[in-house]
């Protein structure tokens, strides 16, 4: 789970709760759904965050949520912005897959070390989450005093977001002291190599220019010239990406965080060839939530004023829109049932898609743990799936015959599944067939799904040679093979498999048990001779149940035994569970 | 004095001069060792023989030990390479010597940690020196390995006859290069009373060893004198069959859920992302979908066909949301991506299939469904995490459900397993709202353990599936429940091919 690091002292300062002890803070944070995971060396809390509340990726946002929880803040706060001075002009040369940009000017910031660290963390966490590792949105924060705006169409200072020749202009990127072209950054700079895949397919690379030249190469790296430090007083925040909504919301979250530290936000004009936007976008949105729905989801009765109160304590604002109908008696249940609220959502909330999300907020403000559990008054009839019933019946029989039931992994290596059994995928034998293979296996031990069960049983025997014999084992297990006639392209089947490993195990021991199982299901079993590469010739038979060849039975070939470090003979069988139905 | 025939035979085979082992007595009397043991104890009780027990200790090389016996110990290999590199005169860079030595993986650490300990030289600031006076042939561990390797047929060596000092054996055992085994050997020797009795001549009682069909049908049993057994003696160990412990737990969960009115679901393990994720309103650029913890299939890659009308509704929910002021994701949506096949990361894919009406036909409320089936996650394999594990999936469909109903259902379910005081932590899932993580208190450690995830399915999920009422759902980890119930520490001992048969055989059943 992702974590965010929060300095408890900063939290106390920003919430104005100097008297809160660390333990008390942890309890309050758990109430927000931020679970305490541990502490850094510097004493910062490591908090696990839920990926919905991306406005809580920094101490400022967490403090804001706590203030609502404490009742020190209510309703919605939207920072005021000063009129735009700067313009971002979007050139036609911008890569068409990454055309969007947004920005804001932030003045009078007071960046001490802690505040700068928090800003950097917020930027990283936003990149990792909403920004989808910078693919969807990338943030660049610059020291405004180091920028020289080009005179724009209105005479205002302007920076330009354009596409640039990969081998064109040079700039000095962060953490470097050499001038590099964008293409060289991707090859020679560590951060460049990390993010090279995001842009290397473009003909022209994204770049931002001021009057002096190229100063940012989004989404890869900023230039050193505009690097932010604790001395920076005014900032230029720009974000580029593949989706305007996403970068606008990321910008709102960053602006709210800086504003919480006393900074002033100033609008920026974004000039696309076709339209002009004023950013940051602090517009609120609304959802209409029915009173009745709130009550059914939470399972409690609430008065409308309670709902409005809960909304304000969640940092939302609710207003009654649908008054009771004229024939409703005021204050009656009918009157409440027809009530609905228009709930206003602040611009930093990226998780509210539906009225249900508002109800969740109200429930959290009410305290879900204060709700009394009740068993739903809903009558239904329970029952097992037919497949699990037959599996159980076969398992009971096998256990009664003295076999230890096993439960093995479905993933296996093709070496175990085929090679070590002496089997090839294109053999005409049980277990052969095209395996379902995994694109990026966890390790070479788990590269595909097993096509049969006996390889797993032999591995268990191999890992237990130090344990007592006899080792009579069985598994009713999942197998899979590629099959184009199936909808999913995979034929998934359950096989019944057993091994008898003991100093005197022989074919007839296996056959005795096979007969017993078949007889329990009223099935006739025949065992005509056959050949199978995993078994000894002359001691191998096909398992024919009710006239259909569905498996194999015999004594495992010494080559396979030795391969599995076994020093006892093994008699075995495996067949398709379907045959017993 | 009258003794049973077995006892007489054993007494006659015993000697007054030398203690004979049970095995030797069994050979001499042609009786099975178990019966001889029984007779020996009976004779001891009668004061006719004296029994002594000795512990026979043997050692054998482990696989790793055999490897080193064939080649050489890693530190010796390192020393020899160091000499070749001239490290006896000038210190050589460690990395270079290791590279030339051909040591790999954990062997490097083994070599380095033993190198200095055994005086082959020293390691300082990444440089290695070799002591020219060190002599691998004088290395006790090397000698011991050679002695133990011997001929492969006799890989068990009695410690008593082995010419290796105890400290070296301890050291090799600590390094995991050899294993000790112990067995109890019982010997019997005639006492004076035994000799006297023998001299006096002992008659074997005409006792009956076994009740036979002849004895019963002939009526001879009326006059028979049944030889007494040593009924306290240990019997041969019989393991018999047994249901796998994890399966037992799964079965118990199924019983409980069926009792609570749930029907069981079944469906594909390898499934289209559409059923695994898209139907669950998981955006296509959600980290869990592109993240490495998903097992995408290389072959086959895509599902044949998806229900076209459903695909259209699901895509619309992703793009535009559901309801008059619903919003969609600002994320790309591509049918080809939805058709990609993966091993399911949760069995909520089954719930999606059932709720869609494509599995069982359109379901009308009320309904309860469950499954206890495998899911696959490309996560780190460790004592508490497996790549494939069982998920207890369940959902309730009814016209009106609240989070209180969800909480009440869990309380009843876990109470069946003796787990009370379930805690609910508000949580986020893309496909449920509200959502809760569930925590239970470990019965022995008192620790709060996460046991599952739950919530009320979002309308963006239900509306495209054609469900017009409420559905609450959850996914719980079966292995977590097992660990809480049994107190197991490493789940790999139980589930999978590394399972320990001894553990499966000896774990107590629960009911």
């Amino acid at each position: 789970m992702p974590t965010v690091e929060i300095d408890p002292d900063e939290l106390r300062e920003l919430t104005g709760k100097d008297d809160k002890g660390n333990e008390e803070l942890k309890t309050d944070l758990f109430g927000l759904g931020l679970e305490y995971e541990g502490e850094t060396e510097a004493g910062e809390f490591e908090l696990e965050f839920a990926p919905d509340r991306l406005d809580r990726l920094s101490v400022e946002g967490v403090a804001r949520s706590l203030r609502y929880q404490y009742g020190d803040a209510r309703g919605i706060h939207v920072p005021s912005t000063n009129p735009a001075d700067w313009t971002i002009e979007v050139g036609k040369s911008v890569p068409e897959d990454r055309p969007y940009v947004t920005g804001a000017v932030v003045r009078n910031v007071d960046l001490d070390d802690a505040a700068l660290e928090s800003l950097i963390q917020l930027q990283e966490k936003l990149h990792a989450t909403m920004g989808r590792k910078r693919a969807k949105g990338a943030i660049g924060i610059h020291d405004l005093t180091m920028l020289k705006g080009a005179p724009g169409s209105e005479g205002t200072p302007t920076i330009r977001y354009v596409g640039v020749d990969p081998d064109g202009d040079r700039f000095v990127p962060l953490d470097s002291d050499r001038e590099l072209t964008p293409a060289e950054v991707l090859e020679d700079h560590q951060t460049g190599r990390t993010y090279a895949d995001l842009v290397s397919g473009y003909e022209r690379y994204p770049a931002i220019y001021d009057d002096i030249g190229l100063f940012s190469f989004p989404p890869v790296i900023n230039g050193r010239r505009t690097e932010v430090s604790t001395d920076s007083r005014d900032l230029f925040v720009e974000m580029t990406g593949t989706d305007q909504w996403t970068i606008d919301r990321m910008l709102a979250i960053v602006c709210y965080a800086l504003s919480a530290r006393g900074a002033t936000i100033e609008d920026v004009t974004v000039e696309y060839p076709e339209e002009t936007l004023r950013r940051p976008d602090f517009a609120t949105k609304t959802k209409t939530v029915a009173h009745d729905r709130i009550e059914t989801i939470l399972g409690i009765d609430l008065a409308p004023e309670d709902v409005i109160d809960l909304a304000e304590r969640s940092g939302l604002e609710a207003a009654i829109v649908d008054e009771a109908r004229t024939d409703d008696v005021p204050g009656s249940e009918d009157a409440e049932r027809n009530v609905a609220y228009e709930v206003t959502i602040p611009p930093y909330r990226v998780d509210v898609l539906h009225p249900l999300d508002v109800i969740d907020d109200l429930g959290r403000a009410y305290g879900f743990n204060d709700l009394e559990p009740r068993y739903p008054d809903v009558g239904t009839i329970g029952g097992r799936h037919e497949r699990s019933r037959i599996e159980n019946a076969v398992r009971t029989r096998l256990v009664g015959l003295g076999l230890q039931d096993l439960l093995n992994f479905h993933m296996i290596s093709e070496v175990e599944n085929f090679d070590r059994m002496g089997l090839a995928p294109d053999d005409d034998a049980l277990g052969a067939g095209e395996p379902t293979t995994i694109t990026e296996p966890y390790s070479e031990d788990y590269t595909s799904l097993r096509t049969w069960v006996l390889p797993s049983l032999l591995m268990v025997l191999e890992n237990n040679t130090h344990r007592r014999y006899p080792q009579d084992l069985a598994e009713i297990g999942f197998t899979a093979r590629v099959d184009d006639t199936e909808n999913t392209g995979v034929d998934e089947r359950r096989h019944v498999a057993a091994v008898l490993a003991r100093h005197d195990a022989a074919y007839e021991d296996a056959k005795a048990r096979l007969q017993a199982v078949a007889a329990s299901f009223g099935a006739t079993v025949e065992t005509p001779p056959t050949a199978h590469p995993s078994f000894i010739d002359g001691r191998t038979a096909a398992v024919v149940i009710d006239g259909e060849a569905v498996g194999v039975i015999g004594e495992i070939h010494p080559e396979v035994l030795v391969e599995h470090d076994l020093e006892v003979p093994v008699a075995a069988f495996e067949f398709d569970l379907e045959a017993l139905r | 004095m009258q003794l049973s025939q077995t006892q007489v035979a054993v007494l006659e085979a015993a000697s007054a001069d030398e203690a004979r082992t049970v095995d030797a007595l069994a050979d001499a009397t042609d009786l099975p060792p178990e019966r001889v043991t029984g007779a020996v104890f009976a004779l001891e009780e009668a004061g006719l023989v004296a029994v002594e027990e000795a512990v026979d200790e043997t050692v054998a090389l482990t696989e790793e030990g055999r490897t080193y016996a064939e080649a050489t110990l890693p530190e010796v290999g390192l020393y020899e390479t160091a000499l070749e590199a001239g490290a006896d005169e000038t210190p050589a860079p460690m990395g270079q010597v290791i590279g030339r030595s051909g040591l790999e993986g954990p062997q490097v650490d083994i070599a380095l940690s033993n190198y200095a300990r055994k005086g082959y030289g020293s390691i300082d600031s990444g440089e290695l020196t070799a002591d020219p006076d060190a002599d691998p042939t004088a290395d006790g561990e090397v000698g011991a390995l050679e002695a133990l390797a011997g001929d492969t047929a006799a890989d068990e060596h009695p410690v008593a006859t082995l010419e290796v000092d105890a400290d070296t054996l301890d050291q090799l055992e600590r390094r995991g290069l050899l294993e000790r085994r112990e067995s109890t050997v019982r010997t019997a020797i005639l006492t004076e009373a035994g000799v006297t009795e023998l001299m006096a001549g002992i008659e074997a009682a005409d006792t009956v060893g076994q009740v036979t069909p002849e004895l019963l049908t002939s009526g001879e049993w009326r006059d028979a004198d049944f030889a007494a057994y040593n009924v306290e003696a240990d019997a041969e160990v019989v393991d018999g069959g047994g249901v796998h412990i994890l399966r037992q737990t799964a079965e118990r969960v199924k019983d409980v859920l069926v009792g609570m009115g749930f029907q069981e679901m079944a469906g594909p393990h390898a499934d289209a992302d559409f059923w695994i994720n898209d139907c669950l309103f998981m955006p296509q650029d959600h980290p869990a979908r592109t993240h490495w913890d998903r097992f995408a299939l290389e072959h086959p890659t895509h599902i044949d066909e998806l229900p076209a009308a459903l695909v259209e509704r699901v895509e619309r929910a992703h793009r535009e949301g559901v309801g008059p002021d619903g919003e969609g994701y600002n994320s790309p949506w591509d049918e080809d991506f939805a058709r990609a096949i993966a091993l399911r990361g949760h069995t909520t894919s089954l719930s999606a299939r059932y709720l869609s009406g494509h599995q069982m036909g359109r379901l009308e409320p009320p309904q309860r469904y469950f499954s206890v089936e495998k899911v696959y996650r490309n996560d780190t394999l460790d004592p508490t995490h497996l790549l494939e594990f069982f998920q207890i999936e369940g959902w309730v469909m009814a016209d009106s459900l609240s989070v209180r109903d969800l909480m009440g259902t869990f309380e009843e379910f876990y109470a069946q397993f003796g787990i009370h005081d379930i805690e609910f932590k508000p949580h986020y899932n893309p496909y449920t709202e509200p959502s809760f993580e569930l925590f239970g208190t470990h019965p022995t450690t008192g620790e709060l353990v996460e046991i599952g995830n739950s919530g009320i399915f979002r309308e963006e999920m239900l509306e495209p599936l054609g469900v017009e009422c409420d559905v609450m759902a959850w996914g719980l980890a079966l292995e977590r429940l097992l660990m809480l119930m049994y107190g197991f520490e490493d789940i790999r001992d139980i589930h999978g091919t590394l399972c320990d048969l001894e553990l499966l055989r000896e774990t107590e059943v629960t009911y």
Side-chain angles (χ1 to χ4, degrees):
Chain A
M1 270 297 208
T3 59
V4 56
E5 291 165 11
I6 300 290
D7 180 349
D9 292 332
E10 287 236 292
L11 205 51
R12 276 185 278 267
E13 197 187 319
L14 287 163
T15 53
K17 298 275 182 200
D18 297 338
D19 51 335
K20 286 258 179 193
N22 276 4
E23 290 312 309
E24 220 179 325
L25 276 180
K26 284 177 202 169
T27 311
D28 296 344
L29 291 166
F30 191 85
L32 290 181
L34 292 163
E35 206 178 326
Y36 174 82
E37 292 277 295
E39 240 166 66
T40 64
E41 278 177 17
E44 293 171 319
F45 290 176
E46 288 174 323
L47 304 173
E48 186 180 306
F49 68 88
D52 55 335
R53 292 301 298 268
L54 301 179
D55 54 304
R56 293 175 180 163
L57 294 180
S58 69
V59 66
E60 299 86 3
V62 173
R64 178 176 53 236
S65 289
L66 279 180
R67 286 170 50 78
Y68 281 116
Q69 190 190 46
Y70 296 148
D72 293 344
R74 292 183 78 85
I76 290 179
H77 163 72
V78 178
S80 60
T81 58
N82 290 332
D85 181 21
W86 286 74
T87 297
I88 304 174
E89 189 188 298
V90 183
K92 287 206 168 65
S93 57
V94 159
E96 60 177 23
D97 289 337
R98 206 177 176 86
Y100 299 107
V101 63
T102 191
V105 166
V106 182
R107 294 193 188 269
N108 301 317
V109 290
D110 179 12
L111 289 178
D112 57 11
D113 286 331
L116 184 58
E117 204 178 301
S118 173
L119 182 61
I120 291 170
Q121 174 175 242
L122 177 60
Q123 190 176 343
E124 281 171 4
K125 299 291 174 187
L126 280 173
H127 275 153
T129 52
M130 273 195 100
R132 307 292 193 225
K133 295 183 179 150
R134 303 194 193 182
K136 201 171 184 180
I139 307 169
I141 303 182
H142 309 275
D143 189 329
L144 184 69
T145 51
M146 300 309 292
L147 287 180
K148 182 167 187 278
S153 48
E154 311 275 319
T156 53
T158 297
I159 61 171
R160 285 179 301 120
Y161 177 43
V162 294
V164 62
D165 184 336
D167 300 313
D169 292 336
R170 292 172 179 275
F171 72 113
V172 181
L174 289 174
D175 306 319
S176 173
D177 42 22
R178 288 196 297 142
E179 283 211 319
L180 300 172
T181 65
E184 285 166 351
V185 168
L186 300 191
E187 280 200 6
D188 298 339
H189 194 285
Q190 197 188 340
T191 313
R193 284 192 292 269
T194 307
Y195 295 100
D197 287 352
L198 295 178
V199 294
S200 54
Y202 297 154
E203 237 171 79
R204 297 175 71 79
Y205 290 171
I208 309 181
Y209 284 77
D210 68 352
D211 206 33
I212 301 170
L214 201 173
F215 69 93
S216 181
F217 173 24
V220 180
I221 198 161
N222 289 343
R224 219 173 97 172
R225 163 158 61 98
T226 60
E227 184 173 5
V228 174
S229 72
T230 47
D231 298 329
S232 305
R233 294 286 294 162
D234 298 327
L235 307 179
F236 196 105
V237 182
E238 46 80 9
M239 306 203 185
T240 59
T242 57
D243 178 66
Q244 185 76 46
W245 181 89
T246 302
I247 54 177
D248 281 338
R249 296 280 71 71
M250 290 165 70
L251 181 65
I253 290 170
V254 171
C255 287
Y256 261 81
L258 288 167
S259 162
R261 289 190 180 269
T264 327
I265 312 294
E266 182 179 301
D267 282 346
V268 161
T269 307
V270 180
E271 265 182 28
Y272 285 105
E274 312 292 329
E275 63 173 337
T276 299
L277 306 175
R278 184 125 315 194
R279 287 296 182 262
D281 177 9
F282 286 160
T284 57
K285 64 183 179 185
T286 61
K287 301 281 172 211
T288 305
V289 187
H291 184 85
D292 186 39
R293 193 69 180 134
I294 301 170
E295 290 192 335
T296 57
I297 291 289
L298 301 184
I300 48 171
D301 292 332
L302 289 167
E305 51 273 28
D306 294 337
V307 172
I308 291 169
D309 177 58
L310 291 172
E312 287 180 358
R313 277 163 50 199
S314 312
L316 310 172
E317 267 164 27
I320 296 178
V321 280
D322 282 348
E323 282 296 350
R325 291 199 310 256
T326 50
D327 56 339
D328 288 334
V329 179
S332 72
E333 279 197 15
D334 284 343
E336 277 182 16
R337 188 155 297 138
N338 292 318
V339 167
Y341 308 89
E342 190 175 77
V343 179
T344 311
I345 322 289
Y348 57 81
R349 289 293 296 273
V350 297
D351 57 314
V352 180
L353 303 181
H354 190 275
L356 211 51
D357 297 309
V358 173
I359 297 176
D360 181 56
D361 269 25
L362 302 178
R364 287 178 192 241
Y366 181 90
F368 279 121
N369 277 302
D370 292 338
L371 297 175
E372 196 185 326
R374 69 175 177 210
Y375 193 75
D377 183 16
V378 172
T380 53
I381 308 292
R384 297 283 291 263
H385 193 277
E386 191 204 356
R387 202 201 69 225
S388 100
R389 293 202 310 271
I390 191 176
E391 270 189 42
N392 251 356
V394 178
R395 184 173 300 112
T396 305
R397 193 74 185 97
L398 289 169
V399 168
L401 290 164
L403 294 147
Q404 169 67 44
D405 169 47
L406 288 184
L407 226 168
N408 285 307
F409 294 139
H410 300 164
M411 285 188 285
I412 198 170
S413 73
E414 285 147 273
V415 173
E416 295 285 356
N417 191 71
F418 296 116
D419 304 356
R420 298 189 75 212
M421 297 299 290
L423 184 68
D426 54 1
D427 282 338
D428 179 20
L430 185 85
E434 205 172 336
T436 310
T437 51
I438 293 159
T439 312
E440 286 172 59
Y442 174 80
S443 79
E444 59 187 22
D445 295 335
Y446 308 102
T447 56
S448 64
L449 295 176
R450 64 183 180 186
T451 58
W452 59 326
V453 178
L454 283 178
S456 307
L457 296 184
L458 278 154
M459 286 163 77
V460 173
L461 290 176
E462 179 177 17
N463 291 325
N464 281 280
T465 52
H466 57 305
R467 295 303 184 198
R468 209 161 41 231
Y469 285 93
Q471 294 180 2
D472 296 345
L473 315 175
E475 180 171 7
I476 301 165
F478 173 92
T479 67
R481 272 173 308 152
V482 174
D483 182 347
D484 295 340
T485 64
E486 295 285 333
N487 177 231
T488 58
V490 182
D491 184 15
E492 301 180 2
R493 291 179 171 274
R494 269 81 193 163
H495 284 188
V496 182
V499 291
L500 305 165
R502 41 170 87 200
H503 72 280
D504 58 354
Y507 175 82
E508 62 168 23
D509 298 318
K511 179 153 181 190
R513 284 158 180 84
L514 172 67
Q515 285 172 175
V517 172
S520 306
F521 288 82
T524 61
V525 59
E526 295 160 276
T527 52
T530 188
H532 189 293
S534 308
F535 292 83
I536 299 174
D537 271 349
R539 298 182 180 189
T540 312
V543 173
V544 177
I545 293 180
D546 293 337
E548 208 179 324
V550 290
V552 66
I553 179 170
E555 290 180 19
I556 299 289
H557 200 284
E559 204 165 311
V560 175
L561 298 179
V562 170
E563 170 64 35
H564 289 83
D565 283 338
L566 297 175
E567 292 173 0
V568 291
V570 175
F573 64 75
E574 173 161 348
F575 65 90
D576 193 334
L577 175 68
E578 278 294 299
L580 296 178
R581 285 179 66 171
Chain B
M1 179 174 244
Q2 276 208 338
L3 296 172
S4 76
Q5 281 168 342
T6 307
Q7 289 164 2
V8 172
V10 170
L11 195 62
E12 284 172 345
S15 146
D17 306 326
E18 86 178 304
R20 292 196 172 149
T21 64
V22 168
D23 284 343
L25 292 171
D27 277 350
T29 55
D30 206 17
L31 287 165
E34 309 86 84
R35 289 184 62 192
V36 172
T37 305
V40 162
F41 281 127
L43 292 170
E44 184 190 28
E45 214 154 285
L48 304 180
V49 299
V51 179
E52 280 198 14
E53 293 189 356
V55 176
D56 216 12
E57 198 186 6
T58 61
V59 291
L61 287 182
T62 61
E63 203 175 313
E64 190 183 355
R66 273 200 295 276
T67 315
Y68 296 157
E70 277 164 27
T72 182
L73 284 167
E75 61 270 24
V76 176
L78 184 66
Y79 176 67
E80 284 163 357
T81 319
L83 285 185
E84 285 165 26
D88 48 342
E89 284 169 6
T90 38
M94 192 167 83
Q96 187 190 327
V97 178
I98 290 170
R100 278 174 60 175
S101 69
L103 293 170
E104 280 180 356
Q107 291 198 356
V108 174
D109 285 341
I110 295 172
L112 291 176
S113 65
N114 289 296
Y115 189 77
R117 174 177 72 82
K118 291 166 68 170
Y120 284 119
S122 59
I123 298 157
D124 189 25
S125 339
E127 297 204 314
L128 201 118
T129 55
D131 179 349
D133 300 328
D135 179 9
T137 58
D139 187 326
E141 293 176 24
V142 173
L145 283 183
E146 273 170 19
L148 286 168
D151 76 295
T152 49
D155 53 359
E156 298 263 343
H157 300 267
V159 171
T161 61
L162 207 60
E163 289 179 2
V164 176
D165 68 86
D167 287 347
T168 308
L169 285 183
D170 287 346
Q171 182 63 35
L172 290 177
E173 190 182 17
R174 267 199 296 278
R175 293 184 64 175
L177 303 183
L178 65 78
E179 275 175 348
R180 289 174 194 268
R181 283 176 204 153
E182 289 182 352
S183 56
T184 306
V185 178
R186 294 195 180 86
T187 55
I189 188 164
L190 285 176
T191 60
E192 268 180 49
V195 175
T196 315
E197 287 289 340
L198 266 182
M199 305 279 277
I202 291 181
E203 264 184 55
D206 196 11
T207 55
V208 175
Q210 238 179 341
V211 179
T212 60
E214 292 76 28
L215 202 66
L216 293 173
T217 51
S218 66
E220 279 174 37
W221 60 269
R222 289 174 210 278
D223 304 318
D225 182 6
F226 293 98
Y229 293 151
N230 173 7
V231 293
E232 286 173 302
D234 286 338
E236 188 191 347
V237 178
V238 174
D239 293 309
V243 175
H244 192 279
I245 317 162
L246 186 55
R247 179 72 66 190
Q248 287 180 32
T249 312
E251 285 300 314
R252 215 178 126 193
V253 168
K254 292 183 182 189
D255 279 351
V256 166
L257 288 170
V258 168
M260 289 169 76
F262 286 79
Q263 282 277 347
E264 190 175 14
M265 303 183 283
H269 292 235
D271 209 350
D273 246 37
F274 180 73
W275 295 109
I276 304 172
N277 286 312
D278 291 286
C279 281
L280 272 55
F281 196 53
M282 292 274 278
Q284 290 198 340
D285 65 353
H286 189 282
R289 301 190 62 172
T290 46
H291 199 244
W292 53 277
D293 72 356
R294 170 176 178 266
F295 278 119
L297 290 193
E298 176 184 63
H299 193 49
T301 58
H302 287 84
I303 199 163
D304 242 14
E305 233 178 299
L306 292 171
L310 180 58
V311 169
E312 202 186 303
R313 289 198 301 272
V314 167
E315 176 175 358
R316 196 163 55 234
H318 278 248
R319 290 192 187 283
E320 296 161 22
V322 156
D325 55 4
E327 290 167 61
Y329 291 121
N330 291 273
S331 296
W333 200 93
D334 177 15
E335 187 180 337
D336 199 51
F337 193 82
R339 288 177 57 240
I341 302 224
L343 300 182
R344 62 188 182 203
H346 50 201
T347 37
T348 318
S349 57
L350 300 183
S351 300
R353 281 176 170 270
Y354 275 70
L355 286 168
S356 74
H358 286 268
Q359 197 81 20
M360 301 280 292
R362 178 64 47 212
L363 297 172
E364 293 300 328
Q367 299 285 348
R368 283 187 173 92
Y369 271 88
F370 83 99
S371 65
V372 182
E373 294 273 335
K374 275 254 172 103
V375 297
Y376 306 80
R377 303 241 176 117
N378 199 348
D379 205 337
T380 313
L381 192 56
D382 67 29
T384 57
H385 292 90
L386 297 175
L387 303 182
E388 43 183 281
F389 55 94
F390 284 89
Q391 180 175 325
I392 308 168
E393 173 87 11
W395 49 267
V396 182
M397 172 198 264
D399 280 325
S400 174
L401 288 169
S402 81
V403 293
R404 293 178 57 197
D405 297 311
L406 184 66
M407 293 172 170
T409 300
F410 285 122
E411 292 212 329
E412 290 300 330
F413 174 75
Y414 280 107
Q416 302 288 321
F417 299 90
I419 300 171
H420 302 281
D421 305 327
I422 296 292
E423 288 190 33
F424 300 91
K425 182 186 147 200
H427 185 61
Y428 167 75
N429 286 320
Y431 46 96
T432 53
E433 185 82 313
S435 312
F436 300 94
E437 277 184 324
L438 303 174
F439 292 82
T441 308
H442 195 289
T444 51
T445 65
E447 204 183 336
L448 212 55
V449 184
E450 190 200 327
I451 47 183
N453 206 338
S454 68
I456 295 179
F457 277 145
R458 293 187 70 99
E459 284 181 37
E460 291 93 332
M461 168 173 174
L462 294 178
E463 196 253 17
L465 292 172
V467 177
E468 289 170 352
C469 54
D470 289 339
V471 179
M472 62 186 205
W474 62 83
L476 316 170
L478 179 69
E479 278 85 345
R480 278 297 158 86
L481 180 62
L482 174 96
M483 293 176 99
L484 280 187
M485 285 166 63
Y486 288 86
F488 289 135
E489 283 172 3
D490 191 339
I491 190 67
R492 293 171 294 188
D493 287 341
I494 299 143
H495 189 174
T497 49
L498 290 174
C499 77
D500 183 354
L501 285 182
E502 194 88 334
L503 188 74
L504 294 185
R505 286 164 170 168
E506 292 183 352
T507 302
E508 275 181 53
V509 297
T510 61
Y511 48 87

